[in-house]
Amino acid sequence: MPSQDVIPTCATCKQSFCAAHRHPSSHSCSIQKSLSSKKVDAARALLSEHFPASSSRKTARRIPKAPTDLAKLAQWRKVELIKMRHRAIPGDFKEGLQSVPFEQRLHLRFINKGSGDEESILWFRKTMVAGKILDSLAIHAKIKSSEQLSLQLSKILDNGDTEVLLNDKAIGDQVEDGDRVTVTSIRSSPSN
């Protein structure tokens, strides 16, 4: 009986190949590529339909409502302070993340009034004077002073009022961990 040589063929494109290259993935099968790209496109479309890209949707950070029970309120404030500490970044650009021990840090919520009350969570050394923090916050918020306008650092009180901080006094002596501060511009009085 005469022997016949069996020549392997690709099951996808039906072309003949040696035994080592008969599978679609080993010979760059053009039909396989077009099928796989169609599947990839379909999968991407399905994913984008159910999971929109994070850059395409802006979600406002949900502000939790404070409890009215005094015992729960104290616990809630502690938890919120812990969360804030984890999100804080150095307010002084010269400080590194590990350069200041945790117990020497003062964490502040900086409210940028010029940017639609945008909040930044920053930490500073407790011993740093408020004037230096004012300079750092002004740089952070891109606020410029001039001869006509002076800048001042203020603590935002619970009732919404502000209390001006003294520039030559340590920040740790004027505010507590977790307090809200802002930079405001005031009109300088003309000098005679």
Side-chain angles (χ1 to χ4, degrees):
M1 194 155 135
S3 71
Q4 290 182 334
D5 289 335
V6 177
I7 300 174
T9 59
C10 172
T12 308
C13 67
K14 308 296 186 216
Q15 293 184 12
S16 298
F17 294 96
C18 67
H21 294 99
R22 70 180 187 270
H23 295 291
S25 60
S26 62
H27 68 265
S28 301
C29 183
S30 60
I31 294 174
Q32 179 69 20
K33 283 184 181 176
S34 66
L35 286 175
S36 66
S37 68
K38 286 179 185 175
K39 286 182 180 179
V40 168
D41 292 341
R44 283 189 180 144
L46 186 62
L47 285 171
S48 66
E49 179 183 327
H50 293 286
F51 303 100
S54 60
S55 61
S56 66
R57 61 180 168 147
K58 284 276 192 184
T59 57
R61 193 155 191 264
R62 188 177 75 88
I63 299 171
K65 187 176 179 182
T68 54
D69 180 25
L70 292 178
K72 289 182 180 179
L73 179 63
Q75 185 66 27
W76 178 81
R77 284 186 174 154
K78 287 179 185 177
V79 170
E80 287 300 308
L81 186 60
I82 291 169
K83 289 179 186 177
M84 183 189 82
R85 288 176 179 160
H86 286 286
R87 292 191 313 264
I89 59 172
D92 186 5
F93 299 110
K94 296 174 187 169
E95 300 285 2
L97 289 175
Q98 304 299 325
S99 65
V100 178
F102 188 76
E103 62 275 357
Q104 293 178 11
R105 296 180 185 184
L106 181 73
H107 300 82
L108 299 173
R109 297 176 187 271
F110 170 56
I111 310 299
N112 188 354
K113 299 281 186 185
S115 232
D117 288 352
E118 179 183 309
E119 180 181 270
S120 300
I121 312 278
L122 306 167
W123 62 263
F124 296 92
R125 285 182 186 265
K126 290 180 180 179
T127 57
M128 190 180 289
V129 293
K132 188 170 181 183
I133 292 175
L134 173 62
D135 294 339
S136 294
L137 292 176
I139 291 168
H140 180 78
K142 298 178 177 112
I143 302 171
K144 295 183 181 177
S145 64
S146 66
E147 289 182 19
Q148 294 82 21
L149 292 176
S150 297
L151 300 178
Q152 65 184 17
L153 182 62
S154 301
K155 174 182 172 180
I156 302 172
L157 304 173
D158 289 336
N159 63 4
D161 292 341
T162 58
E163 176 184 309
V164 177
L165 303 178
L166 302 174
N167 286 341
D168 58 345
K169 196 170 178 187
I171 192 71
D173 297 337
Q174 300 184 70
V175 297
E176 294 180 22
D177 213 17
D179 278 349
R180 297 179 303 153
V181 296
T182 189
V183 174
T184 53
S185 303
I186 55 169
R187 205 118 338 250
S188 299
S189 59
S191 57
N192 293 338

